[in-house]
Amino acid sequence: MLISDSTARALENVAAREREVLRTLPAGNSTPGDPYAAQIPCQAPQGAYFITRDDSGRRLFMRCSGFSLDGVQLTDANGHPVLGYTNPEGALQPLRVDPVDAALGLAQNARVGSDGTVTYDRSAIDPSTGDRTFQHQTIGRVALARFPAGTRLSDDSYAAAPAGIAPHIGVPGDGGFAPLQPLSRTAVNGELDSGLARLQEAYLALDALRAAGAAQGNVQKTVMDLLK
């Protein structure tokens, strides 16, 4: 079946708006009573991207609006690892919880600071009093990437670097990148509501094109019936 250019563009618009909504959804591993409890809402500065990688190790760039700590490593809402630095001179890598803490499920209350520093609370029991205590642990700093002006990435949730173009990579607040701006739950909800409104508009535009096409088809059929 042939599809007109206007219908094809409308379908592409719907797909793009759907991707926008998916990027604003809360993390899938949140706790049952509170869909945002396990999420760490934050967003990259204007023009910057967070970094992840696929199964082959290829770096991908994303504009997500929230992280979570899955007990082992920092991930985005879809479970992809968030890359960063465990020390200033180290290599870019997933930010992981201490292996012992991960194995025992002791990592709680993860946070990402404005400078990209990722911390969590290690739960422990004071042997002398039996009271539960928490020790702050740091696992590294989230990395950011920025491309030269005029570089266009795909509209997909995870975009590869264009051929022949290398991004500048650093950390929030290092002079090359602005600090992260943590999002409140109100801001996350507002972003989701706005995305859903744009998606509804895209579907309405597509429905209007379909209705116009159906009406045109009915007119043509009526004309053909009259000519018989």
Side-chain angles (χ1 to χ4, degrees), residues 1-19 155 198-199 201-210:
M1 180 178 66
L2 295 178
I3 299 178
S4 67
D5 290 341
S6 57
T7 300
R9 287 193 296 270
L11 288 169
E12 290 174 357
N13 189 37
V14 167
R17 300 294 80 78
E18 287 178 341
R19 289 193 293 269
D155 291 331
R198 290 192 295 272
L199 177 59
E201 291 173 358
Y203 272 116
L204 289 174
L206 179 60
D207 288 341
L209 281 174
R210 287 174 172 169

Side-chain angles (χ1 to χ4, degrees), residues 19-42 64-69 75-79 158 183-185 187-193 196:
R19 289 193 293 269
E20 287 181 358
V21 170
L22 289 174
R23 286 195 288 267
T24 62
L25 290 177
N29 58 351
S30 53
T31 56
D34 182 355
Y36 290 94
Q39 190 184 29
I40 311 167
C42 63
C64 55
S65 60
F67 300 139
S68 61
L69 197 63
T75 69
D76 72 354
N78 296 314
Y158 305 95
L183 296 175
S184 66
R185 296 185 186 186
V188 173
N189 284 334
E191 188 178 355
L192 178 58
D193 290 342
L196 289 172

Side-chain angles (χ1 to χ4, degrees), residues 112-131:
V112 179
S114 61
D115 65 348
T117 299
V118 184
T119 60
Y120 67 89
D121 293 334
R122 173 191 290 160
S123 175
I125 301 295
D126 188 324
S128 60
T129 64
D131 295 334

Side-chain angles (χ1 to χ4, degrees), residues 213-223:
Q216 182 179 10
N218 289 335
V219 169
Q220 291 175 347
K221 183 177 184 301
T222 300
V223 171

Side-chain angles (χ1 to χ4, degrees), residues 34-66:
D34 182 355
Y36 290 94
Q39 190 184 29
I40 311 167
C42 63
Q43 65 180 2
Q46 182 67 31
Y49 298 84
F50 295 113
I51 309 171
T52 184
R53 67 187 185 190
D54 60 18
D55 293 339
S56 66
R58 181 183 58 156
R59 290 180 185 174
L60 299 175
F61 304 90
M62 56 186 180
R63 293 280 304 178
C64 55
S65 60

